[in-house]
Amino acid sequence: DSGVTQTPKHLITATGQRVTLRCSPRSGDLSVYWYQQSLDQGLQFLIQYYNGEERAKGNILERFSAQQFPDLHSELNLSSLELGDSALYFCASSGGTGRHSPLHFGNGTRLTVT
Amino acid sequence: SQQGEEDPQALSIQEGENATMNCSYKTSINNLQWYRQNSGRGLVHLILIRSNEREKHSGRLRVTLDTSKKSSSLLITASRAADTASYFCATDYGGSQGNLIFGKGTKLSVKP
């Protein structure tokens, strides 16, 4: 068990809808990262937060947004959903912003857009 | 584009054999990490090797890094059926540590 909790585990929704994915990092970890995993694109880095502030941005669409709250949990909001957004969304956490720290992944949220 | 590219894409071996997976990357890195993913689950960190290190061991795992060739290898010795999983290399090329760039992985199947 990595200590990172993601909810929900599965989400099925229709095109055009909006969903919110939630993540609780490992106790004591200040950094949260979001990744998208699909068969054709592999694992893509979306965004990173450190202690409530955005630290790095990857291939995140404008329809997607995220935030990290004072209690360090994070939410990833996906809006105007398209079929191509169907994927596994992972949250990961680490102890700080320094390099040489491994990421601890949750078990993901499987999003299916119909 | 993906920073790391694993080779082979798939590998099937018998229990007890060694498994070797390779990773090539394109630009200078700070460190390279290997992760394992069981089907449909989250990734699990296996080992991290810094750019100034050449070899690292952890149990049955051995990782090498050749920065001149921009490549790394992961060796799993005496493989077990429980090692069946996908293995990913991830490179930290700079910027925020969160900018780990993952390859598409090697799917390892260990037959009992």
Side-chain angles (χ1 to χ4, degrees):
Chain A
D1 182 11
S2 68
V4 177
T5 304
Q6 289 188 248
T7 58
K9 290 183 180 178
H10 302 277
L11 202 47
I12 301 174
T13 189
T15 55
Q17 295 298 305
R18 172 190 169 95
V19 297
T20 298
L21 312 184
R22 295 176 176 79
C23 169
S24 293
R26 220 171 47 132
S27 178
D29 283 357
L30 298 178
S31 283
V32 168
Y33 313 81
W34 287 96
Y35 282 85
Q36 178 195 57
Q37 186 178 39
S38 60
L39 282 174
D40 54 343
Q41 292 293 320
L43 202 64
Q44 297 282 324
F45 169 69
L46 296 178
I47 198 163
Q48 179 206 359
Y49 280 84
Y50 174 76
N51 203 20
E53 293 190 2
E54 182 184 304
R55 266 306 172 106
K57 221 166 185 176
N59 301 322
I60 188 166
L61 300 172
E62 286 190 9
R63 300 184 285 109
F64 296 180
S65 64
Q67 54 183 326
Q68 185 180 29
F69 295 87
D71 66 354
L72 301 178
H73 92 272
S74 178
E75 292 182 356
L76 178 67
N77 300 295
L78 315 176
S79 61
S80 302
L81 285 168
E82 302 174 358
L83 295 177
D85 297 328
S86 296
L88 259 175
Y89 290 84
F90 286 107
C91 167
S93 71
S94 73
T97 60
R99 2 199 76 76
H100 312 308
S101 296
L103 299 188
H104 303 272
F105 282 79
N107 282 325
T109 293
R110 183 173 293 280
L111 173 66
T112 302
V113 182
T114 61
Chain B
S1 63
Q2 299 281 357
Q3 174 78 330
E5 294 287 340
E6 290 92 343
D7 170 61
Q9 290 186 346
L11 181 60
S12 182
I13 60 174
Q14 295 293 132
E15 230 175 0
E17 293 180 341
N18 295 342
T20 299
M21 287 158 268
N22 303 297
C23 170
S24 59
Y25 56 92
K26 296 176 184 175
T27 60
S28 297
I29 58 171
N30 292 301
N31 66 68
L32 186 144
Q33 304 179 31
W34 285 91
Y35 288 79
R36 183 188 75 229
Q37 183 181 31
N38 289 88
S39 181
R41 308 278 289 180
L43 282 75
V44 174
H45 179 262
L46 296 175
I47 199 164
L48 181 154
I49 187 164
R50 302 185 185 197
S51 59
N52 61 353
E53 297 176 313
R54 292 297 166 258
E55 189 170 310
K56 210 161 180 183
H57 297 256
S58 176
R60 293 183 296 112
L61 305 181
R62 172 178 168 253
V63 167
T64 62
L65 179 65
D66 187 334
T67 53
S68 66
K69 294 181 179 178
K70 292 187 173 56
S71 68
S72 173
S73 67
L74 170 67
L75 168 67
I76 303 175
T77 59
S79 63
R80 306 166 182 168
D83 294 328
T84 295
S86 290
Y87 291 82
F88 296 86
C89 70
T91 48
D92 173 9
Y93 63 91
S96 164
Q97 190 267 339
N99 276 338
L100 279 184
I101 305 299
F102 285 81
K104 290 201 173 183
T106 292
K107 198 165 187 176
L108 174 66
S109 174
V110 182
K111 299 178 181 178

